């Protein structure tokens, strides 16, 4: 009998003709199993002597597999090896959370079209080893905490991290993490009890090679007592030398991080316009929870939100509003800094371009000077040769009149060629020189103080005095009496410019912005010029200026000599020299302060 029906009324039996065949099948199957065992035993006997080599090979293959897995993850994440030399700070530049990056990478392209990992910028130094991250719920605080922890674990296991160059991480020997809720009925643990147990283990094992990560510090019990307990824990961890990063919503802990010399605040940014988190971390800023704003975004009734603000009280709501306003102003300052930085880079690029052009002009000018000198030397050699040949011809002809006349004619022809060449070059230079614009004539009679032009010139002068048909005019240090008919009025009296100098007290540094680097003493008497130069240098010394220009003109040279003698006697003047010819030459003295 092989089987029976459900009712038991019917049984199924094996036909007699199949009995022997089924027995043969069973015997063959048993024989097959015995053969398989024999073959396996034989193979086992053969490899049993190579067990140690096989174990080593398997271990090596596992290591190769791990290294290859690390490399594949690093390539997929775009990982870099941070600077591991220093142990005095933690710096993360544009760090991407590895778990989020891998998760988004495994999703369909349509699902990730509008979702990207917001990079994290974080910094913690050895003198301020405690950082408290605050901000709105679902704003990215725990993700930032997880990013720091994952980076620490990845570097500890030799895996490059997804961050930019400039990232620095020490090698931590211990990592304590308190994230999530570990309450348990079986272990008789509440939420607060589980946090206390984790905190006890952290305090027992903390040292200067320990990183502690705590999420939602001070929760699970009375807010005031929880905040006080968390602050005491941060102080104890700091005394032990541990590096601590924690998230919290407690205002007391925000104030603690602001006042403690070993701690600093950090805040997750929140966009008040769209009422959505930006997931950007801002260092040294306290964050707001934005509970009312998030409630409004989730369409809670306005009456309920207004009642909640009343219950919270004016000081608390004012503080939250102050933090929010402070963050807005910080964003505005950051945008202004970015604009200034962009303009500065453009200005530096322009300055570099102008500097390159100036060097090219200087090089070309020097080259032209060399060419002019070489050309002048060539002309001089030709002139000397012409003169010597003329003298030789006159001597050989023994002052024969005809020979002397011919020699002098050749010398005059050569001199005329030089003069024509010089006149031609001057004409070319005059054509290339830009024609100065003639000032437009002004209407009205000429009066003292008016601006006038003499003849067809283009430099204006000031009318000093009217004397009948003659007028006394002044242009810089030059005064002259000319016929009024030669003058053309181009402007009225110039507006007087009053410069007010405000002396800074001895405790503040003078600014170089209000101090001129150039002094004009042309036309002044020697004693007046020396007094002006003395005041000029005295005002420039506190402003940290190193280079000054004194415009004294050439004239008789008496004022220039007196100024040079005065500069030699001043110990704060390291050197002085005449300016280059294109900057005024002997009429300008360059002074360098020591």
């Amino acid at each position: 009998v092989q089987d029976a029906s459900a009712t038991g009324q019917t049984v199924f039996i094996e036909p007699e003709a199949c009995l022997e065949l089924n027995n043969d099948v069973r015997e063959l199957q048993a024989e097959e199993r015995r053969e398989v065992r024999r073959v396996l035993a034989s193979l086992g006997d053969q490899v049993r002597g190579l067990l140690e080599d096989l174990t080593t090979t398997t271990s090596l293959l596992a290591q190769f597999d791990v290294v290859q897995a690390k490399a594949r993850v690093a390539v997929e994440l775009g990982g870099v090896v941070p600077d591991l030399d220093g142990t005095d700070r933690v710096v993360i530049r544009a760090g991407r959370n590895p778990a989020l990056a891998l998760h988004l990478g495994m999703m369909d392209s349509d699902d990730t079209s509008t979702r990207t990992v917001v990079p994290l910028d974080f910094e913690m130094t050895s003198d301020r080893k405690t950082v408290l991250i605050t901000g709105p719920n679902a704003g990215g605080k725990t993700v930032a905490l997880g990013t720091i922890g994952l980076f620490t674990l990845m570097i500890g296991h030799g895996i490059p991290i997804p961050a930019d160059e400039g990232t620095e991480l020490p090698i931590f020997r211990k990592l304590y993490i308190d994230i999530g809720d570990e309450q348990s009925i079986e272990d008789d643990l509440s939420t607060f009890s589980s946090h206390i147990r984790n905190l006890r283990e952290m305090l027992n094992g903390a040292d200067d090679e320990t990183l502690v990560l705590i999420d939602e510090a001070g929760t699970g019990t009375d807010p005031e007592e929880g905040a006080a307990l968390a602050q005491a824990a941060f102080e104890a961890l700091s005394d032990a030398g541990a590096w601590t990063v924690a998230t919290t919503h407690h205002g007391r802990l925000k104030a603690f991080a602001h006042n403690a010399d070993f701690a600093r605040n950090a805040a997750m940014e929140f966009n008040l316009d769209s009422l959505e988190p930006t997931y950007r971390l801002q260092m040294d800023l306290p964050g707001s929870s934005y509970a009312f704003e998030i409630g409004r975004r989730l369409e809670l009734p306005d009456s309920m939100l207004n009642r909640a603000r009343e219950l919270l009280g004016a000081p608390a709501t004012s503080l939250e509003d102050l933090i929010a306003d402070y963050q807005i102003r910080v964003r505005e300052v950051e945008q202004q800094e970015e604009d200034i930085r962009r303009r500065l880079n453009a200005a530096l690029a322009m300055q570099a371009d102008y500097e390159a052009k100036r060097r090219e002009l200087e090089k070309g000018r020097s080259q032209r000077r060399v060419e002019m000198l070489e050309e002048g030397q060539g002309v001089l050699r030709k002139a000397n040769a012409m003169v010597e040949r003329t003298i030789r011809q006159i001597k050989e002809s023994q002052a024969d009149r005809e020979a002397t006349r011919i020699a002098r004619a050749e010398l005059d022809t050569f001199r005329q060629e030089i003069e024509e060449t010089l006149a031609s070059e001057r004409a070319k230079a005059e054509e290339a020189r830009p024609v100065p614009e003639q000032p437009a004539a002004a209407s009205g009679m000429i009066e003292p103080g008016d601006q006038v032009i003499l003849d067809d010139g283009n430099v204006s002068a000031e009318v000093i005095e009217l004397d009948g048909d003659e007028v006394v005019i002044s242009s810089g240090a030059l005064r002259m009496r000319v016929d009024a008919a030669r003058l053309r009025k181009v402007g009225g009296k110039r507006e007087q410019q009053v410069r007010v100098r405000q002396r800074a007290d001895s405790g503040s540094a003078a600014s170089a912005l209000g101090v001129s680097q150039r002094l004009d003493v042309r036309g002044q008497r020697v004693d007046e010029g020396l007094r002006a130069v003395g005041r000029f240098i005295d005002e420039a010394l506190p402003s940290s200026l190193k280079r000054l220009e004194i415009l004294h003109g050439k004239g008789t040279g008496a004022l220039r000599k007196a100024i040079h003698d005065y500069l030699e006697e001043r110990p704060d003047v390291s050197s002085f020299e005449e300016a280059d010819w294109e900057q005024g030459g002997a009429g300008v003295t360059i002074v360098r302060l020591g």
Side-chain angles (χ1 to χ4, degrees):
V1 176
Q2 299 297 318
D3 202 352
S5 66
T7 61
Q9 300 297 319
T10 305
V11 295
F12 303 94
I13 63 173
E14 180 181 15
E16 185 177 354
C18 297
L19 180 61
E20 293 297 333
L21 294 176
N22 284 334
N23 289 338
D24 292 340
V25 170
R26 291 298 178 89
E27 290 177 358
L28 290 174
Q29 290 176 344
E31 185 177 352
E32 180 186 14
R33 287 194 297 271
R34 288 194 298 272
E35 182 64 17
V36 169
R37 286 196 296 269
R38 188 190 65 79
V39 171
L40 292 177
S42 175
L43 291 175
D45 291 339
Q46 295 180 32
V47 302
R48 187 171 292 110
L50 305 174
L51 181 61
E52 184 176 352
D53 294 338
L54 289 175
T55 303
T56 303
T57 303
T58 303
S59 176
L60 289 175
L61 289 175
Q63 294 180 32
F64 287 143
D65 193 23
V66 170
V67 171
Q68 186 182 36
K70 292 179 181 179
R72 289 178 61 184
V73 169
V75 170
E76 186 171 353
L77 293 174
V80 299
V81 178
D83 183 5
L84 303 174
D85 295 337
T87 58
D88 59 344
R89 63 177 185 165
V90 176
V91 179
I92 297 177
R93 303 294 186 204
R96 281 84 66 191
N97 186 280
L100 276 180
L102 291 175
H103 174 67
L104 293 179
M106 290 186 294
M107 295 176 64
D108 295 336
S109 58
D110 294 339
D111 296 335
T112 60
S113 58
T114 59
R115 301 183 62 186
T116 57
V117 179
V118 178
L120 171 70
D121 291 317
F122 179 82
E123 184 172 350
M124 183 165 52
T125 55
S126 59
D127 58 337
R128 301 174 73 183
K129 289 186 175 181
T130 301
V131 175
L132 297 187
I133 303 177
T134 53
N137 288 308
K141 298 190 299 297
T142 304
V143 174
L145 207 64
T147 302
I148 300 170
L150 284 174
F151 279 7
T152 300
L153 290 174
M154 291 174 69
I155 290 302
H157 288 81
I159 305 175
I161 58 176
D164 286 356
E165 298 293 338
T167 298
E168 302 178 25
L169 287 175
I171 300 297
F172 293 108
R173 304 298 177 183
K174 300 176 185 178
L175 175 62
Y176 291 101
I177 301 175
D178 184 11
I179 297 179
D181 192 351
E182 299 181 7
Q183 61 178 326
S184 171
I185 297 177
E186 295 179 357
D187 297 334
D188 194 21
L189 283 177
S190 65
T191 300
F192 182 68
S193 300
S194 64
H195 289 317
I196 293 299
R197 185 185 65 179
N198 294 337
L199 183 60
R200 182 188 62 212
E201 295 180 5
M202 294 173 182
L203 294 173
N204 290 336
D207 55 25
D208 56 358
E209 293 184 330
T210 300
L211 175 62
V212 177
L213 304 177
I214 302 175
D215 192 26
E216 300 294 349
T219 59
T221 187
D222 178 80
E224 289 297 324
E225 295 180 356
L229 186 61
Q231 178 177 338
F234 295 145
E235 293 173 352
L237 290 171
S238 176
D239 293 339
W243 302 68
T244 305
V245 184
T247 67
T248 185
H249 286 284
H250 290 297
R252 174 171 180 167
L253 294 180
K254 299 175 190 178
F256 152 72
H258 178 75
N259 296 323
D261 56 359
F262 64 88
R264 62 195 300 188
N265 273 304
M268 302 305 301
E269 188 181 54
F270 187 81
N271 191 328
L272 287 175
D273 295 331
S274 61
L275 297 179
E276 291 181 349
T278 65
Y279 306 110
R280 289 180 59 242
L281 181 67
Q282 298 176 304
M283 299 301 300
D284 297 317
L285 284 179
S288 174
S289 298
Y290 296 103
F292 299 128
E293 286 77 7
I294 295 175
R296 187 165 69 251
R297 179 169 66 91
L298 297 177
E299 299 181 355
L300 284 177
D302 291 340
S303 58
M304 174 181 170
L305 294 175
N306 294 334
R307 176 57 178 162
R309 285 182 177 273
E310 293 176 1
L311 294 174
L312 184 61
T317 54
S318 298
L319 177 60
E320 291 294 320
D321 293 340
L322 179 62
I323 293 176
D325 183 64
Y326 183 53
Q327 290 180 338
I328 292 175
R329 294 182 182 274
V330 168
R331 283 197 298 270
E332 292 176 352
V333 171
E334 288 177 349
Q335 293 174 357
Q336 293 175 359
E337 287 181 350
E338 181 63 27
D339 182 60
I340 293 173
R341 191 178 298 109
R342 184 169 57 253
R343 294 187 180 185
L344 177 61
N345 292 334
L348 291 176
M350 187 180 298
Q351 181 183 7
D353 183 49
Y354 286 156
E355 189 66 24
K357 290 181 179 178
R358 186 190 64 79
R359 288 194 297 268
E360 189 67 25
L361 288 175
E362 289 291 339
K363 181 179 178 182
R365 184 182 301 167
S366 300
Q367 184 65 28
R368 286 194 298 273
R369 287 178 180 174
V370 172
E371 292 174 356
M372 291 169 60
L373 288 174
E374 291 177 350
E375 185 176 355
Q377 290 176 352
V379 172
L380 183 61
R381 284 195 297 269
K382 290 175 63 177
N384 289 335
M386 176 64 71
V387 171
E388 290 176 0
R389 186 175 65 182
T390 302
I391 294 174
R392 186 171 61 251
Q393 290 177 353
I394 293 174
K395 287 182 178 180
E396 290 176 354
S397 63
Q398 297 180 355
D400 182 69
R401 289 184 177 180
E402 183 64 20
T404 302
R405 185 187 64 78
I406 294 174
R408 285 179 176 176
E410 292 178 353
L411 188 60
D412 290 340
T413 301
F414 178 72
R415 183 174 62 251
Q416 184 176 359
E417 290 178 356
I418 294 177
E419 291 178 352
E420 290 177 353
T421 302
L422 181 60
S424 175
E425 293 297 328
R426 284 176 177 173
K428 291 180 182 178
E430 195 66 28
E431 292 177 0
R433 181 180 302 169
V435 179
E437 296 183 0
Q438 292 288 340
S443 60
M445 300 293 293
I446 295 179
E447 297 179 356
D450 289 344
Q451 303 300 309
V452 295
I453 293 292
L454 177 64
D455 296 332
D456 295 328
N458 56 4
V459 178
S460 63
E462 182 179 356
V463 176
I464 303 299
E465 181 183 352
L466 299 178
D467 187 7
D469 294 336
E470 294 184 339
V471 179
V472 178
I473 61 174
S474 171
S475 178
L478 179 64
R479 291 195 179 195
M480 65 182 70
R481 182 183 295 271
V482 298
D483 191 352
R486 299 175 58 189
L487 299 178
R488 178 163 51 92
K489 182 178 178 180
V490 295
K493 297 181 179 180
R494 289 181 178 175
E495 294 183 1
Q496 287 189 335
Q497 296 181 352
V498 180
R499 178 177 299 175
V500 179
R501 288 192 178 94
Q502 181 177 356
R503 293 186 177 272
D505 57 15
S506 59
S508 61
S511 171
L513 297 178
V515 180
S516 174
Q517 294 182 264
R518 189 177 179 90
L519 174 66
D520 188 352
V521 295
R522 291 177 298 179
Q524 297 184 8
R525 296 192 302 272
V526 171
D527 54 345
E528 294 176 347
L530 291 180
R531 284 197 298 270
V533 170
R535 289 194 303 269
F536 179 54
I537 296 177
D538 292 340
E539 291 175 357
L541 286 173
S543 63
S544 301
L545 292 176
K546 298 299 182 183
R547 183 181 184 275
L548 303 175
E549 295 179 8
I550 301 176
L551 178 60
H552 44 65
K554 298 178 182 178
T556 62
L559 180 59
R560 176 182 58 186
K561 183 177 184 305
I563 291 175
H564 287 186
D565 294 339
Y566 173 73
L567 294 176
E568 286 181 349
E569 297 175 357
R570 289 202 60 135
D572 42 18
V573 175
S574 60
S575 64
F576 62 91
E577 59 188 3
E578 291 183 355
D580 294 337
W581 63 270
E582 65 270 21
Q583 295 178 346
V588 178
T589 297
I590 305 300
V591 181
R592 304 188 187 279
L593 302 180

